[in-house]
Amino acid sequence: LHGVVSRKMWTEIWPNLPTPEVPIGSITNGVHTQTWLSPEMGQLFDRYLGIQWEAKPTDFAVWKRVDSIPDEELWRTHERRRERLIAFARGRLKIQYSRRGAPPAELAAAQEALDPEALTIGFARRFATYKRGDMVFRDVARLSALVNSTERPIQFVFAGKAHPKDNGGKELIAKVVLMARKPEFRRRVVFLEDYDMNVARYLVQGVDVWLNNPRRPLEASGTSGQKSAMNGGLNFSILDGWWIEGYNGTNGFSIGELNVGEDQDEVDAADAESLYSLLENEIVPAFYGKGEDGLPTEWIRRMKDALTTLTPQFSSDRMVRDYLEQIYR
């Protein structure tokens, strides 16, 4: 999609060529598996994929062996990573509250933020306005019902930074922080400050769902969701950037429609409605729909599909090979 958009942008330089023939190619980004994969998930791959998965990170035949991982082992491994993320987030919140001189009661409340067993959604990236970091708060009452459900709660962990001169991006962060302080969201929505690679690792390795809702088609690629997918996280994203290439209908969830109108307010409203509807009708039921063995069978099936189809395709090894073969040679 980035190639299609770029060819349209630069078509005037080649006025005699049809837009599809404008000589601009595109190579989708990938991520370095060993940098972002949790040690626990790596050990699981060693046992069931064989050690060659590290030497052949783009070999789909190797990744097909993910199907042989017992559901219980995969799920317990993922749950441990979620628990570790929650413990990390609580520690960071306590530091944040202390830094601004919070009273003892608020510091104690930080230790009760988030639930280690609840459906956990991550949103962490550069806060640019087109990424719509506040879209999930468009209908506060509807979101409140979701996060405060007694039987099937969801929770959000936000992180990220804006460019120092991007006032719109900084205003988005301020809005998310303000929403996280509201009584109805205090225990279910958190914003982690000082976003860096360490925070990113905890997030991509521990969340159940990775949320990305940019305005289409402004996302050139995006890579954070690729890091989550290799750790068993399910992407919940607009069909833009890398996700329009990676999504196959069963390895995650897609927000909104491909053919969008020109009225941005209408597009934002439609995308928000799609987001809430998918949470209510597909994501929450799949996560909490557990069988007699206590495992969410449908969710684990999607996790395995994501690991099998996305990890080899969006590896930096594949990206470098594409540059070598399509560009340099």
Side-chain angles (χ1 to χ4, degrees), residues 13-153:
I13 295 180
W14 292 275
N16 299 321
L17 288 179
T19 300
E21 296 180 16
V22 168
I24 294 177
S26 58
I27 291 172
T28 302
N29 287 342
V31 292
H32 186 248
T33 309
Q34 283 87 344
T35 296
W36 297 103
L37 188 70
S38 76
E40 295 88 348
M41 192 68 77
Q43 291 165 9
L44 201 61
F45 291 163
D46 287 344
R47 285 200 297 274
Y48 293 98
L49 276 61
I51 58 174
Q52 62 265 52
W53 73 267
E54 290 190 59
K56 300 178 179 179
T58 62
D59 190 333
F60 280 87
V62 170
W63 289 99
K64 187 64 180 170
R65 297 174 196 162
V66 164
D67 291 336
S68 68
I69 300 176
D71 287 359
E72 184 173 2
E73 280 196 58
L74 178 60
W75 186 242
R76 299 308 175 214
T77 298
H78 176 65
E79 284 193 310
R80 285 194 296 273
R81 288 305 318 183
R82 189 193 317 117
E83 291 165 0
R84 193 169 298 179
L85 165 62
I86 302 308
F88 172 79
R90 287 172 175 173
R92 294 286 293 222
L93 286 174
K94 194 171 182 179
I95 293 171
Q96 291 172 199
Y97 293 169
S98 298
R99 196 159 48 212
R100 64 170 187 258
E106 194 170 350
L107 293 177
Q111 293 301 111
E112 298 178 358
L114 306 175
D115 179 348
E117 297 183 0
L119 170 58
T120 304
I121 300 175
F123 184 101
R125 53 187 46 87
R126 177 173 60 90
F127 265 74
T129 52
Y130 82 87
K131 294 178 182 287
R132 299 187 294 187
D134 62 340
M135 195 171 81
V136 74
F137 300 107
R138 191 176 179 97
D139 188 332
V140 172
R142 201 167 176 182
L143 180 63
S144 180
L146 282 164
V147 302
N148 292 304
S149 169
T150 55
E151 296 181 355
R152 304 190 304 181

Side-chain angles (χ1 to χ4, degrees), residues 85 93 132 154 216-217 219 242 250 256 265 267 273 281 293:
L85 165 62
L93 286 174
R132 299 187 294 187
I154 67 174
R216 190 177 185 276
E219 185 86 297
W242 78 279
T250 58
D265 287 336
V267 172
E273 172 59 35
N281 302 313
D293 57 3

Side-chain angles (χ1 to χ4, degrees), residues 26-33 57-58 226 312-329:
S26 58
I27 291 172
T28 302
N29 287 342
V31 292
H32 186 248
T33 309
T58 62
Q226 299 170 1
Q313 183 178 355
F314 297 99
S315 161
S316 57
D317 286 63
R318 187 272 312 154
M319 177 186 70
V320 171
R321 185 187 65 212
D322 284 352
Y323 272 107
L324 179 64
E325 295 176 354
Q326 298 179 33
I327 306 296
Y328 300 126
R329 282 182 175 169

